[in-house]
Amino acid sequence: MYIDDVCINIQGLSVALQIANPTVVAKVERLAKATGLTKTAVVEKAIDRLASETGTRPQSGRMAALLAQLDRVPDRLDAFNALEWDDQGLPK
Protein backbone atom coordinates (compact mmCIF):
# COMPACT_ATOMS: atom_id res chain seq x y z
CA MET A 1 0.00 0.00 0.00
CA TYR A 2 1.40 3.32 -0.97
CA ILE A 3 -0.33 5.19 1.86
CA ASP A 4 2.27 4.07 4.39
CA ASP A 5 5.10 3.87 1.88
CA VAL A 6 4.84 7.49 0.78
CA CYS A 7 6.13 8.59 4.16
CA ILE A 8 9.82 8.44 3.22
CA ASN A 9 9.42 4.87 2.03
CA ILE A 10 9.86 3.18 5.40
CA GLN A 11 8.32 -0.23 4.96
CA GLY A 12 7.15 -2.17 7.97
CA LEU A 13 6.30 0.98 9.89
CA SER A 14 2.55 1.22 10.22
CA VAL A 15 0.44 3.59 12.20
CA ALA A 16 -3.09 2.56 13.08
CA LEU A 17 -5.87 4.80 11.83
CA GLN A 18 -8.62 5.30 14.34
CA ILE A 19 -11.95 6.52 13.03
CA ALA A 20 -13.90 8.11 15.86
CA ASN A 21 -17.14 8.60 13.93
CA PRO A 22 -19.31 5.47 14.36
CA THR A 23 -21.32 6.31 11.23
CA VAL A 24 -18.16 6.25 9.11
CA VAL A 25 -17.00 3.01 10.73
CA ALA A 26 -20.39 1.43 9.93
CA LYS A 27 -20.16 2.60 6.30
CA VAL A 28 -16.68 1.11 5.93
CA GLU A 29 -17.78 -2.18 7.47
CA ARG A 30 -20.90 -2.31 5.27
CA LEU A 31 -18.87 -1.64 2.11
CA ALA A 32 -16.25 -4.21 3.07
CA LYS A 33 -18.91 -6.86 3.61
CA ALA A 34 -20.77 -5.98 0.40
CA THR A 35 -17.65 -5.93 -1.78
CA GLY A 36 -15.67 -8.73 -0.14
CA LEU A 37 -12.77 -6.35 0.39
CA THR A 38 -10.97 -5.70 3.63
CA LYS A 39 -11.76 -2.51 5.53
CA THR A 40 -8.28 -1.25 4.65
CA ALA A 41 -8.89 -1.91 0.95
CA VAL A 42 -12.23 -0.07 1.09
CA VAL A 43 -10.62 2.99 2.67
CA GLU A 44 -7.70 2.86 0.20
CA LYS A 45 -10.07 2.68 -2.79
CA ALA A 46 -12.06 5.63 -1.44
CA ILE A 47 -8.89 7.67 -1.01
CA ASP A 48 -7.70 6.75 -4.50
CA ARG A 49 -11.05 7.70 -6.00
CA LEU A 50 -11.16 11.05 -4.20
CA ALA A 51 -7.55 11.75 -5.20
CA SER A 52 -8.32 11.06 -8.87
CA GLU A 53 -11.43 13.26 -8.74
CA THR A 54 -9.43 16.16 -7.34
CA GLY A 55 -6.49 15.50 -9.64
CA THR A 56 -4.03 15.02 -6.80
CA ARG A 57 -1.99 12.23 -5.38
CA PRO A 58 -1.75 11.96 -1.61
CA GLN A 59 1.51 13.44 -0.30
CA SER A 60 2.80 14.13 -3.83
CA GLY A 61 3.97 17.60 -2.80
CA ARG A 62 5.94 16.28 0.17
CA MET A 63 7.55 13.57 -1.94
CA ALA A 64 8.50 16.07 -4.65
CA ALA A 65 10.05 18.35 -2.01
CA LEU A 66 12.05 15.46 -0.57
CA LEU A 67 13.31 14.41 -4.01
CA ALA A 68 14.25 18.02 -4.80
CA GLN A 69 16.32 18.16 -1.62
CA LEU A 70 18.08 14.92 -2.51
CA ASP A 71 18.83 16.25 -6.01
CA ARG A 72 20.63 19.23 -4.45
CA VAL A 73 23.12 16.97 -2.64
CA PRO A 74 26.32 17.21 -4.72
CA ASP A 75 28.08 14.11 -5.98
CA ARG A 76 31.31 13.35 -4.15
CA LEU A 77 34.33 13.42 -6.42
CA ASP A 78 36.19 11.04 -4.11
CA ALA A 79 33.37 8.48 -4.02
CA PHE A 80 34.40 4.93 -4.95
CA ASN A 81 32.25 3.08 -7.42
CA ALA A 82 33.08 -0.60 -7.89
CA LEU A 83 30.97 -0.86 -11.05
CA GLU A 84 31.86 0.29 -14.53
CA TRP A 85 29.07 2.10 -16.37
CA ASP A 86 28.28 2.33 -20.08
CA ASP A 87 27.28 5.52 -21.92
CA GLN A 88 23.57 4.85 -21.20
CA GLY A 89 24.10 4.79 -17.45
CA LEU A 90 23.83 1.01 -17.08
CA PRO A 91 26.36 -1.26 -15.38
CA LYS A 92 28.65 -3.09 -17.79
Side-chain angles (χ1 to χ4, degrees), residues 10-71:
I10 301 174
Q11 293 184 347
L13 176 66
S14 62
V15 178
L17 175 66
Q18 181 173 347
I19 301 173
N21 186 328
T23 303
V24 174
V25 172
K27 287 179 182 181
V28 170
E29 289 172 347
R30 226 177 8 257
L31 276 171
K33 187 175 182 181
T35 61
L37 297 171
T38 64
K39 290 184 273 185
T40 301
V42 167
V43 171
E44 184 176 16
K45 281 181 142 318
I47 291 169
D48 289 343
R49 183 172 290 169
L50 183 60
S52 70
E53 288 173 6
T54 60
T56 60
R57 288 182 32 209
Q59 302 291 328
S60 61
R62 288 180 62 195
M63 184 58 72
L66 177 61
L67 292 174
Q69 285 180 350
L70 290 173
D71 286 340

Side-chain angles (χ1 to χ4, degrees), residues 68-86:
Q69 285 180 350
L70 290 173
D71 286 340
R72 288 194 299 269
V73 175
D75 292 332
R76 291 186 52 165
L77 298 177
D78 64 341
F80 174 74
N81 192 341
L83 296 176
E84 293 184 36
W85 302 88
D86 65 15

